[in-house]
Amino acid sequence: MDVNAAVAAAAAIAGVLTGVIAMLAFRFSEREQKRPTRSSLHTDAVLPPGVDTVLSVLRSSAVVLDEADAVVKASSAAYALGLVRGGKLAVEPMLQMARDTRRDGEIRQVELDLPRRGTGRGEALAVSARVAPLGSRLVLLLVEDLTEARRIEAVRRDFVANVSHELKTPVGALSLLSEAVMDASDEPEAVQRFAGRMQIEATRLTSLVQELIDLSRVQNDDPLEDAEPVRVDELVAEAIDRCRHQAGAKQITMAAGGTADLRVWGNRGQLAAALGNLVENAVNYSPARTRVGIAARGVNAPGGDHIEIAVTDQGIGISDKDKERIFERFYRVDPARSRATGGTGLGLAIVKHVAASHGGEVTVWSAEGQGSTFTLRLPEAGAARGAHQPARETRAGGAGLDEEAGRSTPESPESNAYETLPAPEVLP
């Protein structure tokens, strides 16, 4: 009997332990199921019918919170912006807005600047957050990224301010000069002098307005709609002819060479304007009795064959800090010299937009006191690929364009000057 009682007692104890372990395992399993995970955040078990479908088509980042501030649903954009981390809303101001809305049911909206995820520096992320109740227990947070819109607005404001300033200068000068002409009406020499100044300011104003029109056109139009094979030789000849008078007045020699019979694909008018601006800048910023060279060559590249047109001068050069900004609108390396030459500060901005819209780019190599080389890189016209001669690709430091121009430059991989130019066209 004692043995049977002991066995029965042991069986009873084992049964109790088994029951306790089973109960603990059940509760542990239930707790694990309730714990929010990244995969469970995308289920719609607790969302009202149709809400998940609506959130999936919204452009804004969407986050749904329950009464415990846990994330029930979050879009992939919300994770990309760093709004949700570890199943929780990571932005404290938004979390507080959600709690306030859950308490009183009012819709709230605020604009915030957030640090970019993974970086402690750089441009802040500008967002607009809107919180609204979703049913009786949930709160919906919609976040829209405003960073790009703010950047575009800042560019627009700067552009308008710069245009206003640039237009104000010649208009004000014309007003003052007209008053001076009226006051000196009985002095023929003074009237003639003031009238000449008025012509200069009127020409500057006309150039500024025309370049604003050109910049607007290259930004808004698609140049490839009217694209055609364009001969590089013709573009170079047109650019030289455009600057013939200015170069002759300063006794600047212009030399054209490189590979003959090259063709690029694009809008002839825009390409001519871009190359003309580069050559005109080279002439304007070069001292008297120097040389400006234009050379072209074909380049084989993995993304497709390109044509490079390099414009080299012996001017004042560009510092490293200025090279980062010279393609900005209205930016001038030397404002006083630019105004003296009639520059508007828009020429290089036009070149940049023309190159980009044609699938190319413009680059610069320069050293202070040694001049500059601007290189316009454009896609080659496919129909003309087999027609031109193989291009020579000798860099500066050998028998290059700069050596033809009468000066030597340090060997540099950034230099874009080409081999000696055959039969250069020389202006007296």
Side-chain angles (χ1 to χ4, degrees), residues 92-111:
E92 185 60 32
M94 296 181 186
L95 186 58
Q96 187 59 47
M97 287 174 57
R99 290 168 179 168
D100 294 340
T101 296
R102 187 184 301 112
R103 185 181 63 253
D104 56 25
E106 292 186 4
I107 298 176
R108 289 174 169 82
Q109 184 171 352
V110 67
E111 292 188 2

Side-chain angles (χ1 to χ4, degrees), residues 129-417:
R130 185 178 180 86
V131 180
L134 184 64
S136 58
R137 297 186 302 112
L138 304 179
V139 174
L140 172 62
L141 172 67
L142 296 177
V143 180
E144 184 177 358
D145 188 357
L146 303 178
T147 307
E148 184 66 14
R150 285 192 178 182
R151 187 191 67 80
I152 294 175
E153 178 62 20
V155 170
R156 186 194 65 80
R157 286 198 306 267
D158 291 342
F159 181 71
V160 172
N162 287 330
V163 168
S164 301
H165 174 75
E166 296 295 333
L167 289 174
K168 182 178 179 181
T169 301
V171 170
L174 287 172
S175 177
L176 292 175
L177 288 170
S178 63
E179 293 179 4
V181 169
M182 293 179 63
D183 294 339
S185 57
D186 55 346
E187 301 178 24
E189 294 183 359
V191 170
Q192 186 175 5
R193 184 173 67 255
F194 292 141
R197 290 289 304 171
M198 291 178 69
Q199 286 183 337
I200 294 175
E201 296 298 334
T203 301
R204 178 180 300 176
L205 182 60
T206 301
S207 299
L208 177 58
V209 173
Q210 183 59 50
E211 291 202 345
L212 285 172
I213 295 172
D214 294 340
L215 181 60
S216 176
R217 181 179 295 116
V218 300
Q219 285 180 311
N220 296 327
D221 294 348
D222 182 5
L224 300 184
E225 289 184 356
D226 301 322
E228 60 180 336
V230 181
R231 290 177 55 88
V232 174
D233 295 342
E234 295 177 357
L235 295 178
V236 173
E238 187 174 335
I240 291 177
D241 188 65
R242 168 178 170 176
C243 303
R244 187 180 301 275
H245 176 73
Q246 298 97 306
K250 298 173 68 174
Q251 298 181 5
I252 292 177
T253 300
M254 289 195 292
T259 305
D261 200 24
L262 296 175
R263 290 177 174 85
V264 294
W265 182 259
N267 182 289
R268 177 183 175 82
Q270 292 191 13
L271 294 175
L275 184 58
N277 285 341
L278 291 179
V279 176
E280 187 175 17
N281 274 2
V283 172
N284 288 338
Y285 284 90
S286 293
R289 293 179 294 279
T290 56
R291 181 181 290 264
V292 171
I294 308 100
R297 67 171 183 174
V299 177
N300 296 325
D305 297 333
H306 285 71
I307 303 298
E308 289 186 351
I309 309 173
V311 179
T312 301
D313 64 59
Q314 296 174 280
I316 59 177
I318 306 170
S319 66
D320 290 338
K321 66 179 183 66
D322 288 324
K323 279 191 287 188
E324 298 178 358
R325 301 189 58 191
I326 55 174
F327 294 104
E328 295 179 10
R329 301 165 185 159
F330 298 110
Y331 185 80
R332 298 181 176 93
V333 174
D334 186 348
R337 183 184 182 93
S338 181
R339 290 190 176 91
T341 59
T344 63
L346 290 174
L348 291 180
I350 292 175
V351 175
K352 176 183 177 181
H353 283 288
V354 169
S357 63
H358 282 75
E361 63 177 349
V362 58
T363 59
V364 59
W365 175 91
S366 183
E368 291 186 88
Q370 298 186 38
S372 306
T373 296
F374 286 84
T375 302
L376 187 61
R377 183 183 176 93
L378 299 166
E380 182 183 22
R385 178 55 184 165
H388 67 265
Q389 302 173 357
R392 293 171 291 181
E393 301 187 4
T394 302
R395 292 289 185 182
L401 180 68
D402 293 323
E403 191 173 64
E404 173 72 14
R407 67 177 173 94
S408 61
T409 59
E411 294 187 11
S412 168
E414 297 178 334
S415 177
N416 290 300

